[in-house]
Amino acid sequence: MLRQVLLAASHSDRVRKLVETSPVTRDAVRRFIPGETMDQALDVTGDLTREGLLVTLDVLGELTPDAGQAQAMVEHYVELLERLASTGLAQQAEVSLKLTAIGQAFDEDFTLENARRVCTAARSAGTTVTLDMEDHEHVDSTLRILMELRRDFPDTGGVVQAYLRRAEEHCAELAYEGSRVRLCKGAYGAPDDVAFTDRAEVDKSYVRCMKVLMGGKGYPMLATHDPRLVDIAGALAVLFDRDPSSFEYQMLYGIRPQEQRRLASQGARVRVYVAYGDQWYGYFMRRLAERPANLRFFLRSLMSRS
């Protein structure tokens, strides 16, 4: 119930204004979002990579309403990728791209061409792109665009959300040689006929999906902070005789940083999802909805500043 309330709040203009204008809230947001500028994001990327971690950078913004804003987002990504190359960070950092930020809400062909520009810039920089998966209404479109991009950019990563009932099916379709697939639980709301709503059922789906990906020939990117799922992933790596270089763990910036470093120190590949920008409200609310621990941290932050 609390998760549904927070997800609903992520779409509320009234709540958004209250949260965005509160200096107390903005301070607490820094746990999950290191800054609003490219320079701040690159500074954090440098710090993380020096500690042996990998990074994926996400420019916050979604559901862009017009072509001009979509083009501006593409230009930002192109500049970001050029900066990754010039600072020597491209070998350790890639980018995550939300398709609704570059036109998916109004024109799929336009979005594909914009995504091609970002992938071209990534190739020039010596790194890769992963297409974020957003709400359930965009799944089929996102998978279509992913398949088209992979014709010319086979290293383009895709995402499967375990809370969706078709997740295992999508994993089976994507578990082929050279296919980079991020598996996450999912941070959006969806009707019962489309998604599992019980937390235990989502966890079971995640494990089923992990088995498919870890037993396949692709490159699984296991995005979870759940200690039980991390342990199961390690067991599956042994079961399927996977070398540590053949898969990676992914975790969000600011969540379980000690665990990120522990896994990396043991030889695992660990990638930190670093989101930045001024359109942080929806992202922040979904982080609170994902884990009760995140909400407890946020409330403690508010009380400590009151």
Side-chain angles (χ1 to χ4, degrees), residues 98-140:
K98 286 183 173 59
L99 293 180
T100 67
I102 60 169
Q104 192 179 29
F106 56 88
D107 189 328
E108 187 170 309
D109 291 337
F110 174 73
T111 303
L112 174 60
E113 291 309 307
N114 282 338
R116 287 187 192 279
R117 282 196 62 201
V118 177
C119 288
T120 299
R123 176 174 287 174
S124 296
T127 188
T128 53
V129 177
T130 293
L131 303 184
D132 276 337
M133 189 63 76
E134 301 178 68
D135 67 78
H136 70 281
E137 295 179 348
H138 291 99
V139 170
D140 290 340

Side-chain angles (χ1 to χ4, degrees), residues 99-298:
L99 293 180
T100 67
I102 60 169
Q104 192 179 29
F106 56 88
D107 189 328
E108 187 170 309
D109 291 337
F110 174 73
T111 303
L112 174 60
E113 291 309 307
N114 282 338
R116 287 187 192 279
R117 282 196 62 201
V118 177
C119 288
T120 299
R123 176 174 287 174
S124 296
T127 188
T128 53
V129 177
T130 293
L131 303 184
D132 276 337
M133 189 63 76
E134 301 178 68
D135 67 78
H136 70 281
E137 295 179 348
H138 291 99
V139 170
D140 290 340
S141 171
T142 299
L143 291 176
R144 283 195 299 270
I145 291 172
L146 174 65
M147 292 301 102
E148 284 298 318
L149 288 172
R150 283 185 172 182
R151 294 176 186 272
D152 298 316
F153 307 96
D155 56 3
T156 305
V159 176
V160 175
Q161 297 170 317
Y163 86 122
L164 297 177
R165 294 184 182 274
R166 294 180 61 194
E168 192 174 355
E169 172 189 339
H170 291 318
C171 285
E173 293 169 350
L174 292 170
Y176 55 83
E177 186 75 32
S179 177
R180 298 170 57 249
V181 184
R182 178 193 298 155
L183 175 65
C184 62
K185 288 187 179 181
Y188 294 84
D192 291 350
D193 62 331
V194 172
F196 300 108
T197 55
D198 180 74
R199 187 177 298 274
E201 289 301 319
V202 175
D203 287 351
K204 290 176 184 177
S205 175
Y206 194 100
V207 173
R208 291 194 299 269
C209 290
M210 268 203 297
K211 289 179 179 178
V212 172
L213 294 175
M214 294 293 276
K217 296 182 178 181
Y219 180 82
M221 303 182 287
L222 307 176
T224 181
H225 310 97
D226 190 324
R228 299 166 302 164
L229 296 179
V230 170
D231 289 344
I232 292 171
L236 290 173
V238 174
L239 176 65
F240 292 112
D241 194 27
R242 274 195 170 267
D243 187 89
S245 65
S246 71
F247 73 101
E248 67 185 45
Y249 298 96
Q250 295 193 353
M251 296 187 184
L252 297 170
Y253 176 80
I255 300 180
R256 302 197 73 202
Q258 292 181 337
E259 177 67 358
Q260 295 171 15
R261 288 156 179 79
R262 182 190 73 81
L263 289 168
S265 71
Q266 294 180 348
R269 290 173 61 84
V270 181
R271 192 176 302 273
V272 183
Y273 189 101
V274 176
Y276 74 94
D278 57 8
Q279 298 184 50
W280 50 262
Y281 173 72
Y283 176 86
F284 175 65
M285 295 302 289
R286 289 194 295 273
R287 298 295 77 79
L288 296 186
E290 278 181 322
R291 299 175 69 237
N294 294 345
L295 181 59
R296 287 197 296 269
F297 168 84
F298 176 59

